[in-house]
């Protein structure tokens, strides 16, 4: 089983937001909303009031925003109001495939015009997702370096949080044999260094999650080889469901092992923590049981989950730079448990996440 992801540039209908339509997530897995207060208000801030809040960009034409609008037209006002819990929150834009420059430029320009900061995910490394649900990526080394160059040029001098290649390090540490470790780490190091050259890019290299590689020291050598030293820090829990507490304890331990590196955490779907059920999941593409066990499938469209802590850059923890919605709630983890292909919009799952939110 492979859990979630890694490269980041961190980046509604119904009158609640500002932004521009982006590409969405091509599909990586693993991986108190609903008050109605404006995103980025003091109501969502963490405990360190002395830290300046950095408002994050909300896409006014996100899938959640369009869904809420459709349901209002159809007379489903209560469901639309629940969907606003997703549509009104800043979420990352997943950038993958050809021509990243145009997407990055469009998103960051829209964010800058709104006086906000975009959150982006760079997700095109060769051999992506070890060939599983979100497999794909650039064809080779030269293609990927060119892709990264275009991504960086698209940023210009505009600010963004950038998450670099979810899962790319942790999958190798966990034993993926479909990629060459040395080559993978060299490509990630190039991505980190090249994107970080842009003057206002906050770059975080993905480091998996606390349930995937339980001993954080196992990641240290790999993260260093992959360029974490040149990054602002690392990202945790992308597309996963580990609790805020577990991610913070794990993040602080990994930070110490890396000499004090800061980190960000994906809190988009962790309101009820990780799934503890007993089913193994069924691949809806083939109609067959995956046969890889409960632990392996706990990250893939688990039932009963909930939206987590709303995005904020004020966290109350000195090394935790931000809690972000990196995985876009409502986008499938893959063809398991009745879900569509990875990255596709799944309204019923989005609605469950919003309905189960604690606020």
């Amino acid at each position: 089983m492979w859990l979630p992801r890694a490269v980041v540039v961190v980046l509604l209908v119904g009158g609640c937001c500002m932004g521009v339509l982006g590409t969405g997530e091509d599909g990586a897995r693993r991986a108190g909303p609903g008050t109605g207060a404006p995103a980025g208000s003091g109501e969502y801030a963490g405990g360190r009031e002395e830290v300046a809040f950095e408002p994050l960009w909300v896409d006014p034409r996100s899938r959640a925003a369009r869904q809420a609008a459709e349901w209002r037209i159809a007379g489903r006002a209560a469901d639309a109001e629940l969907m606003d819990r997703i549509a009104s929150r800043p979420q990352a834009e997943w950038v993958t495939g050809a021509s990243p420059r145009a997407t990055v430029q469009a998103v960051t320009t829209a964010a800058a015009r709104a006086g906000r900061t975009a959150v982006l995910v760079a997700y095109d490394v060769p051999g992506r997702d070890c060939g599983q649900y979100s497999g794909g990526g650039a064809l080779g080394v030269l293609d990927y370096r060119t892709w990264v160059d275009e991504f960086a040029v698209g940023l210009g001098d505009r600010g963004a949080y950038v998450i670099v290649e979810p899962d790319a390090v942790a999958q190798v540490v966990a034993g993926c044999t479909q990629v060459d470790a040395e080559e993978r780490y060299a490509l990630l190091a190039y991505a980190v260094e090249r994107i970080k050259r842009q003057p206002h890019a906050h770059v975080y290299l993905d480091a998996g999650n606390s349930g995937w590689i339980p001993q954080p020291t196992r990641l240290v050598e790999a993260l260093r080889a992959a360029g974490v030293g040149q990054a602002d820090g690392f990202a945790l829990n992308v597309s996963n469901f580990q609790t805020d507490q577990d991610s913070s304890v794990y993040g602080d331990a990994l930070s110490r092992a890396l000499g004090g590196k800061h980190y960000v955490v994906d809190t988009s779907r962790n309101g009820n923590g990780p799934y503890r059920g007993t089913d193994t999941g069924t691949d809806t593409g083939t109609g067959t049981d995956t046969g890889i066990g409960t632990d392996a499938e706990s990250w893939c469209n688990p039932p009963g989950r909930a939206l987590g802590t709303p995005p904020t850059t004020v966290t109350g923890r000195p090394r935790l730079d931000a809690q972000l919605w990196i995985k876009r709630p409502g986008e499938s983890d893959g063809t398991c448990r009745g879900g569509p292909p990875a990255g596709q919009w799944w309204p019923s799952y989005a609605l469950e996440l919003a309905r189960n939110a604690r606020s």
Side-chain angles (χ1 to χ4, degrees):
M1 139 203 155
W2 303 108
L3 298 165
R5 3 187 184 225
V7 176
V8 184
V9 175
V10 187
L11 290 169
L12 357 270
V13 167
C16 54
C17 331
M18 311 181 280
V20 68
L21 177 64
T23 60
E25 175 194 348
D26 186 58
R29 44 187 164 65
R30 312 332 172 208
T35 64
S41 74
E43 184 168 350
Y44 302 145
R48 293 200 301 152
E49 297 300 333
E50 73 276 16
V51 177
F53 184 86
E54 186 170 12
L56 303 173
W57 183 68
V58 177
D59 182 355
R61 296 176 58 202
S62 69
R63 289 165 170 172
R66 286 177 282 161
Q67 188 70 73
E70 290 175 16
W71 282 348
R72 284 191 170 89
I73 293 172
R76 296 176 60 178
D79 288 343
E81 186 174 352
L82 287 172
M83 192 58 60
D84 285 342
R85 294 181 173 186
I86 298 175
S88 62
R89 308 296 189 189
Q91 298 164 50
E93 189 70 24
W94 290 68
V95 182
T96 186
S99 304
R101 177 177 178 175
T103 298
V104 171
Q105 185 172 5
V107 171
T108 55
T109 297
R113 286 173 177 167
R116 296 184 172 226
T117 301
V119 176
L120 304 174
V121 177
Y123 195 53
D124 206 51
V125 73
R128 188 179 64 202
D129 203 29
C130 203
Q132 297 201 34
Y133 289 128
S134 298
L139 296 178
V141 171
L142 293 180
D143 284 339
Y144 184 65
R145 288 170 68 98
T146 299
W147 188 90
V148 168
D149 291 343
E150 288 191 23
F151 187 107
V153 170
L155 277 176
D157 61 358
R158 293 173 295 279
Y161 285 81
V162 180
I163 310 302
V164 177
E165 302 295 345
D167 297 349
V169 171
Q171 282 180 333
V172 176
V173 173
C176 176
T177 59
Q178 296 187 23
V179 300
D180 178 81
E182 185 176 353
E183 179 181 280
R184 166 65 64 84
Y185 296 153
L187 287 176
L188 295 174
Y190 179 79
V192 168
E193 187 276 331
R194 178 63 188 89
I195 295 170
K196 188 57 187 171
R197 284 187 223 164
Q198 304 309 117
H200 301 297
H202 309 300
V203 180
Y204 296 85
L205 177 63
D206 189 76
N209 64 75
S210 62
W212 191 1
I213 309 291
Q215 300 80 28
T217 53
R218 288 182 57 200
L219 289 162
V220 171
E221 183 177 349
L223 288 170
R224 285 176 174 158
V228 74
Q230 301 301 311
D232 291 274
F234 55 91
L236 293 174
N237 203 46
V238 175
S239 301
N240 210 270
F241 303 85
Q242 307 302 316
T243 66
D244 289 356
Q245 176 65 18
D246 286 349
S247 293
S248 294
V249 170
Y250 188 87
D252 286 346
L254 183 54
S255 172
R256 288 191 295 271
L258 290 170
K261 276 293 179 182
H262 287 212
Y263 61 98
V264 298
V265 172
D266 185 353
T267 62
S268 59
R269 305 184 299 172
N270 71 347
N272 283 342
Y275 182 56
R276 305 298 185 189
T278 58
D279 64 299
T280 58
T282 297
D283 189 323
T284 54
T286 63
T288 60
D289 192 299
T290 59
I292 56 177
T294 302
D295 291 341
E297 288 290 287
S298 64
W299 52 264
C300 193
N301 300 325
R305 300 310 91 197
L307 300 175
T309 302
T312 182
T313 57
V314 181
T315 69
R317 302 185 74 99
R319 293 177 180 173
L320 177 56
D321 288 347
Q323 293 168 301
L324 304 169
W325 282 14
I326 300 172
K327 171 71 175 183
R328 299 169 72 92
E331 293 185 1
S332 177
D333 293 311
T335 53
C336 60
R337 295 190 174 91
Q344 289 194 13
W345 178 244
W346 191 5
S348 60
Y349 195 79
L351 188 60
E352 180 184 21
L353 290 169
R355 183 178 290 120
N356 292 341
R358 298 179 183 178
S359 62

